[in-house]
Amino acid sequence: SNRTMRPDKNPYERERSVYVRNPHLDAMDEGILYHLDLGTKTHNLPAMFGDFVCVGGSSNRMKAFALFMHKELGLEGDGDDIEDICAGTDRYCMFKTGPVLSLSHGMGIPSISIMLHELIKLLHHARCCDVTIIRIGTSGGIGIAPGSVVITDTAVDSFFKPRFEQVILDNVVTRSTELDKELATDLFNCSREIPNFLTLIGHTMCTYDFYEGRLDGALCCFSREKKLDYLKRAYKAGVRNIEMESTVFAAMCGLCGLRAAVVCVTLLDRLESDQINLSHDVLVEYQQRPQLLISNFIKKQLGLC
Ligand code: R2B
Ligand code: URA
């Protein structure tokens, strides 16, 4: 395999396989990854190996990240000819630059969950070991300056609990949402070398909707005071930002043996406002912050800096 050594890792630690936890899969004669437009019979999946997987909501941003990594890793060419591996579908996009796979996941729990099922099967078919997966995204901050980057230690639900409730048939199954603490610490240590913006470790709250907890949606049935009271309780419980994918991401990666992290920039302080009124340029620069941190981390892991 073209797996790279993590220089700071105990070499005797067993490689972590990617587990699919589904006894039916082995009996299937072909594995079709429908929303990625890939399959075991049509593609040589082991050749698409990736040590690092980075996922994020928007397809353009994940393409930009792939091009940025191409440059940062000093790969040949300008990367302009980089191809979308999932070009046959417009549900998600996927790019590979060196050992880094960059994928989009859309917005919200259902969208990222569909992508993760297929990505995890892809990593399984590709016989990947020791995969590090990082979600780089945007979020709303609580009590921190806009533009700060939050590395999630634990993803929590709207009740500030580290759990994800998945409806399976007509049962509710509760899954844990702990993330890899060592990876979060490694990332935080990397951030110390990037002085341009504040990075911190905190809990991330994952909601089922963008607008229902805000004052600026099409529907709202609570007062500004009630909203602030809730967000202050969230802050007290250790929550520093809000987004819409972290709980299911943490739960699925945890169950399937992927070392996972969530790194999101905050676009506003939700204690101050709900409307995102950043200029296009500032928004673009903010969204590059998690990318900068992750590229630094990956280069370190590869022994390139
Ligand atoms: C953060 O930003 C998106 C909504 O604007 C959503 O995907 C998320 O989690
Ligand atoms: N993304 C979210 O989920 N919430 C915000 O407030 C901003 C971005």
Side-chain angles (χ1 to χ4, degrees):
S1 91
N2 59 354
R3 172 179 172 268
T4 30
M5 287 294 291
R6 283 169 46 100
D8 58 337
K9 282 278 155 189
N10 176 351
Y12 302 107
E13 188 181 278
R14 254 191 89 235
E15 283 192 351
R16 288 208 250 180
S17 298
V18 175
Y19 297 109
V20 291
R21 294 166 165 261
N22 175 1
H24 303 286
L25 279 184
D26 282 347
M28 289 178 190
D29 142 72
E30 182 175 10
I32 295 179
L33 311 171
Y34 167 64
H35 300 88
L36 301 179
D37 193 40
L38 296 171
T40 50
K41 286 201 172 160
T42 45
H43 297 82
N44 179 7
L45 298 179
M48 297 176 161
F49 194 94
D51 290 328
F52 300 98
V53 179
C54 295
V55 303
S58 120
S59 7
N60 281 330
R61 178 155 46 84
M62 296 321 286
K63 181 172 184 182
F65 178 68
L67 291 172
F68 178 58
M69 283 312 307
H70 186 98
K71 204 173 80 208
E72 291 290 295
L73 295 176
L75 300 176
E76 257 171 56
D78 54 12
D80 276 358
D81 50 354
I82 192 163
E83 267 179 50
D84 179 359
I85 297 167
C86 302
T89 169
D90 57 5
R91 298 294 185 182
Y92 304 103
C93 68
M94 184 192 294
F95 304 92
K96 189 169 185 301
T97 32
V100 184
L101 205 60
S102 174
L103 278 89
S104 68
H105 59 60
M107 284 191 285
I109 288 171
S111 181
I112 194 173
S113 152
I114 293 163
M115 187 281 278
L116 285 174
H117 275 278
E118 296 183 15
L119 170 66
I120 292 167
K121 288 193 290 177
L122 166 69
L123 296 172
H124 165 77
H125 293 310
R127 295 188 279 280
C128 292
C129 282
D130 237 357
V131 175
T132 297
I133 181 166
I134 303 170
R135 162 169 146 69
I136 47 178
T138 54
S139 63
I142 306 181
I144 56 179
S148 306
V149 171
V150 179
I151 300 169
T152 308
D153 54 3
T154 306
V156 299
D157 67 7
S158 297
F159 306 91
F160 322 137
K161 296 256 164 59
R163 64 181 180 193
F164 173 63
E165 293 188 327
Q166 174 76 60
V167 177
I168 302 174
L169 306 181
D170 53 357
N171 298 307
V172 178
V173 173
T174 303
R175 292 174 171 166
S176 157
T177 55
E178 294 294 335
L179 288 154
D180 193 304
K181 298 278 185 294
E182 194 189 345
L183 177 57
T185 308
D186 285 355
L187 287 165
F188 183 69
N189 288 336
C190 255
S191 75
R192 293 174 205 258
E193 292 164 21
I194 310 173
N196 327 31
F197 50 87
L198 177 72
T199 303
L200 51 111
I201 295 190
H203 297 349
T204 295
M205 178 160 73
C206 180
T207 63
Y208 284 93
D209 183 71
F210 184 81
Y211 281 110
E212 290 291 349
R214 309 168 62 115
L215 300 174
D216 62 342
L219 299 170
C220 184
C221 55
F222 50 84
S223 64
R224 189 183 139 76
E225 290 66 44
K226 242 193 148 66
K227 176 201 136 176
L228 286 178
D229 170 68
Y230 176 70
L231 291 184
K232 283 178 187 161
R233 283 188 284 124
Y235 186 90
K236 263 200 179 148
V239 176
R240 293 295 176 272
N241 65 339
I242 310 174
E243 46 78 273
M244 300 172 58
E245 293 87 12
S246 59
T247 50
V248 73
F249 174 79
M252 289 183 69
C253 294
L255 284 169
C256 295
L258 279 74
R259 184 187 294 112
V262 177
V263 178
C264 291
V265 69
T266 59
L267 303 181
L268 76 175
D269 180 356
R270 295 270 307 268
L271 291 174
E272 302 293 330
S273 70
D274 282 322
Q275 303 257 315
I276 298 166
N277 57 6
L278 303 169
S279 72
H280 176 77
D281 291 353
V282 171
L283 196 58
V284 169
E285 195 270 315
Y286 278 7
Q287 295 190 37
Q288 283 165 350
R289 294 178 173 191
Q291 302 185 26
L292 203 64
L293 175 54
I294 298 318
S295 115
N296 212 305
F297 168 77
I298 290 177
K299 284 192 292 182
K300 271 225 164 69
Q301 294 294 309
L302 296 173
L304 296 177
C305 72

